[in-house]
Amino acid sequence: MKQIALYGKGGIGKSTTSANLSAALSLAGYDILQIGCDPKRDSTRMLMQGKLIPTVMDLVRERGAAAVTPADVVYTGFNGVRCVEAGGPEPGVGCAGRGIIATFQLLEKFGTLTGDVIVYDVLGDVVCGGFAMPMREGYAQEVYLVTSGELMSLYAANNICKAIERLSARPKSRCRLAGVICNAKNQPKEEELVAEFARRVNSHLVEFIPRDRVVQLAELNRKTVIEYEPSSQQAQRYRDLATRVMENTRFTIPTPLGIDDLEALAIEFM
């Protein structure tokens, strides 16, 4: 079983990328489980025809963990992709990372952490103990950074590299950086910048996904691009990403940049 996690800055397009990746993998014949690890609970929405499914945390709060069943938290979406949303605490109360821990414990109890590929879609602005849990506890063995060429997006990606570097030093750790995905914002020299960032943190650019209006059109129609416009160039990018993820064998311990080096890199490509 291949277990991959997509980390990145909030709003960078992790959920769009994750959902389209899962859809593409499912059409390639793989059994896919996607787990949204973000309090926004929207990771799987486009796989579910726009439906926001109940979250594990909401159900546990309402009923208690003992009263929650697999059918309550695992939903079948586009082309058989199984979907789970961890959710989080009520606004202003508690730690969102605990929702991830509770979700994994429950799914392990149910025996539902199965499939050919598990895709974890994880918030990466702040890699606290809870959000780092998929990496720390050996669930996410292959970590992909989703970033654009914007400095704050690269900053978040670099912070995640620091977490991977630290966690990889743990005994029996299986957490490795699998590559960088550029979800473009149409900046000048953006692909070159992100590719160079990937090289400097001891990794590689896995896929460059251009900004395309079809993504917004697909979401307005409550679908992934793969489902909404399968013949589009954008859909092909996601299929290419799926192929590269399955064929990827380059897993590294990253070498994070200092803030001065990161800023100097961004200036090089202005």
Side-chain angles (χ1 to χ4, degrees):
M1 183 171 65
K2 203 171 181 69
Q3 298 192 78
I4 69 174
L6 277 67
Y7 275 82
K9 180 180 178 294
I12 196 58
K14 293 184 307 300
S15 294
T16 298
T17 304
S18 298
N20 278 283
L21 172 61
S22 291
L25 288 169
S26 75
L27 288 172
Y30 296 105
D31 177 17
I32 309 300
L33 171 64
Q34 180 166 323
I35 304 176
C37 303
D38 189 320
K40 293 199 309 298
R41 64 181 284 196
D42 62 350
S43 173
T44 60
R45 194 164 75 90
M46 294 306 134
L47 292 164
M48 294 296 305
Q49 298 290 303
K51 177 183 177 182
L52 288 171
I53 63 176
T55 73
V56 173
M57 284 299 287
D58 283 345
L59 292 169
V60 168
R61 273 195 300 269
E62 292 168 9
R63 307 179 189 176
V68 178
T69 68
D72 294 325
V73 296
V74 183
Y75 288 77
T76 302
F78 171 75
N79 200 45
V81 175
R82 289 170 295 129
C83 301
V84 176
E85 291 285 352
E90 296 177 8
V93 180
C95 169
R98 292 192 65 171
I100 299 174
I101 296 170
T103 296
F104 287 14
Q105 289 173 342
L106 203 59
L107 294 177
E108 280 197 330
K109 173 187 169 185
F110 294 153
T112 51
L113 285 175
T114 60
D116 297 317
V117 184
I118 300 180
V119 177
Y120 302 99
D121 175 10
V122 193
L123 180 66
D125 288 277
V126 180
V127 188
C128 72
F131 290 120
M133 191 262 198
M135 296 188 286
R136 189 180 66 244
E137 300 302 326
Y139 293 99
Q141 298 168 15
E142 304 170 22
V143 177
Y144 289 88
L145 306 177
V146 182
T147 184
S148 68
E150 296 171 322
L151 180 59
M152 286 299 98
S153 180
L154 292 169
Y155 179 82
N158 194 59
N159 274 345
I160 298 158
C161 286
K162 293 178 182 178
I164 299 170
E165 180 189 39
R166 185 174 298 113
L167 292 169
S168 67
R170 293 164 60 104
K172 300 181 181 179
S173 172
R174 294 178 291 173
C175 172
R176 295 292 184 269
L177 178 58
V180 180
I181 300 166
C182 181
N183 197 41
K185 299 291 186 181
N186 283 355
Q187 291 187 283
K189 303 180 182 177
E190 192 166 16
E191 184 172 4
E192 293 87 345
L193 168 57
V194 176
E196 180 60 17
F197 167 77
R199 188 189 69 80
R200 293 193 190 185
V201 297
N202 190 33
S203 190
H204 65 294
L205 180 64
V206 176
E207 186 62 59
F208 176 79
I209 302 174
R211 194 172 183 84
D212 194 308
R213 185 168 176 265
V214 73
V215 174
Q216 284 70 46
L217 291 174
E219 292 183 350
L220 285 171
N221 284 275
R222 301 180 175 184
K223 297 177 181 179
T224 61
V225 175
I226 292 291
E227 181 181 7
Y228 175 73
E229 196 64 70
S231 63
S232 66
Q233 291 184 353
Q234 195 77 357
Q236 186 58 49
R237 293 279 186 165
Y238 292 124
R239 286 192 291 268
D240 290 344
L241 172 61
T243 299
R244 287 171 182 167
V245 164
M246 295 309 293
E247 293 178 350
N248 190 13
T249 57
R250 185 179 176 189
F251 310 125
T252 63
I253 297 174
T255 54
L257 302 177
I259 185 61
D260 290 342
D261 293 330
L262 185 63
E263 290 176 346
L265 172 63
I267 290 171
E268 282 182 39
F269 289 85
M270 289 183 63

